[in-house]
Structure formats: structure tokens, C-alpha cells
Amino acid sequence: MTARIGVYPGTFDPVTLGHMDIIRRGAKLVDRLVIGVTTNPSKSPMFTIEERMATVRREVAEVDGDIEVVAFDSLLMDFAERQGAKVIVRGLRAVADFEYEYQMAGMNQQINPRVETVFLMADVALQPIASRLVKEIALYGGNIAKFVPESVREEVVARVEKIGRKGS
């Protein structure tokens, strides 16, 4: 029997408690979960891809399951094919996420119909968390402890101190 491989793609800039929830739950659905760390050209990353990969690797080290962290810079469906994946795992927070993800899933199905997209609803307590908002809160000196693992909070605070807080 061949292993069921899933891909959970994202920028993970920074990795949040919401991401970690989807990773834990997604790892239970497949034999191997590949976390694909990428750069979105429409986003301004706070951390390099190497830093994000190291952070994700550290944070998933204690998660049950066969989990691998891989960088990619290609179409998601091409990356999924190279990984041998049959499933794309995506997290949904709200209706706005659904509309975007539904459109992406449809496009991805047209590109590679051999790979299915599976949506996992974010835990209710974690639904408002978005990396973009975490960065914005941190840049204005707000407390992000409720949104990211402690070691990630420390990294974000250190980076903000390095680049300078806004509004000060």
C-alpha cells in the first residue's frame, strides 16, 4: 500500500497557533505531511525562507506524525506532484477564506486533477489569527503571545526591535 502524502503550503511568516492546529490535525489525516514553505510575491516577509523553515521545523518537532518541511518556489500543484502528494491541506478561518480557497482549489483541480484539496476549519479560538495581523500587532508594540508559540513570539519581538517599531 502506498503512503498517503499531503502537502500543507504557506508562507508561515510567522508560524501561528492556527498553523500549528492545522498541522497537528492534518498530520492525522495522512501518512506523511509535507509542509511547503514558500514566498508569496504579494506579501512582504518579515523572515527569510531559511528562517521560516527553521522555525517551522523547530515547532513541529514535537508533533506526532511523519512531518517534513520543504521550501518551494513553483506552482503548488507541481510541488505536490514532486512530493507524491494526493492531498493539499488548507485551513479555513472565515467565509472570506472559503471564497478565496474555493477559487484556488478549482484552479488547482484544473491544473492537476490527481490531487484533492481538503479544508480543515480552524479551531474557533484560533479563527481570527492571521500572520499578517500578528506582524502588524507586533510592529505597533502589541502583545502577540495569544497568537504564536512562545519561541516564535520571541523571534518576532527580536525582529521588530531590529527593524524598529511603528508609532514610536
Side-chain angles (χ1 to χ4, degrees):
M1 186 171 142
T2 59
R4 289 172 313 187
I5 300 169
V7 168
Y8 178 39
T11 56
F12 305 102
D13 184 49
V15 65
T16 68
L17 295 175
H19 292 131
M20 293 305 299
D21 177 56
I22 299 300
I23 290 167
R24 276 187 210 88
R25 292 167 51 216
K28 293 176 185 175
L29 300 177
V30 294
D31 299 315
R32 182 166 70 101
L33 181 63
V34 178
I35 301 172
V37 181
T38 191
T39 299
N40 185 331
S42 68
K43 297 180 181 180
S44 301
M46 179 177 275
F47 296 97
T48 67
I49 197 158
E50 293 81 10
E51 291 169 326
R52 289 181 277 135
M53 288 181 58
T55 298
V56 173
R57 282 187 181 118
R58 182 190 66 231
E59 295 303 320
V60 301
E62 301 300 317
V63 176
D64 288 337
D66 182 2
I67 301 173
E68 182 180 7
V69 180
V70 178
F72 77 101
D73 184 21
S74 65
L75 286 174
L76 172 58
M77 299 315 275
D78 292 341
F79 174 69
E81 186 86 20
R82 285 193 306 274
Q83 298 302 313
K86 297 296 182 204
V87 175
I88 302 296
V89 175
R90 298 296 293 163
L92 295 177
R93 294 173 300 213
V95 172
D97 279 353
F98 177 78
E99 291 173 6
Y100 171 78
E101 294 292 346
Y102 183 78
Q103 183 178 24
M104 289 301 298
M107 293 295 288
N108 287 338
Q109 178 115 37
Q110 294 293 317
I111 294 169
N112 187 340
R114 295 175 302 281
V115 180
E116 291 292 335
T117 300
V118 174
F119 298 110
L120 296 177
M121 295 300 298
D123 181 286
V124 173
L126 304 174
Q127 283 181 2
I129 301 173
S131 294
R132 176 183 53 81
L133 297 176
V134 168
K135 289 187 287 192
E136 188 172 324
I137 291 165
L139 286 168
Y140 282 99
N143 185 354
I144 60 170
K146 293 180 181 179
F147 311 122
V148 295
E150 178 59 24
S151 57
V152 173
R153 185 195 67 75
E154 292 168 5
E155 290 172 347
V156 171
V157 168
R159 183 58 48 97
V160 167
E161 287 173 0
K162 184 177 177 182
I163 62 176
R165 255 184 28 195
K166 293 184 178 189
S168 49

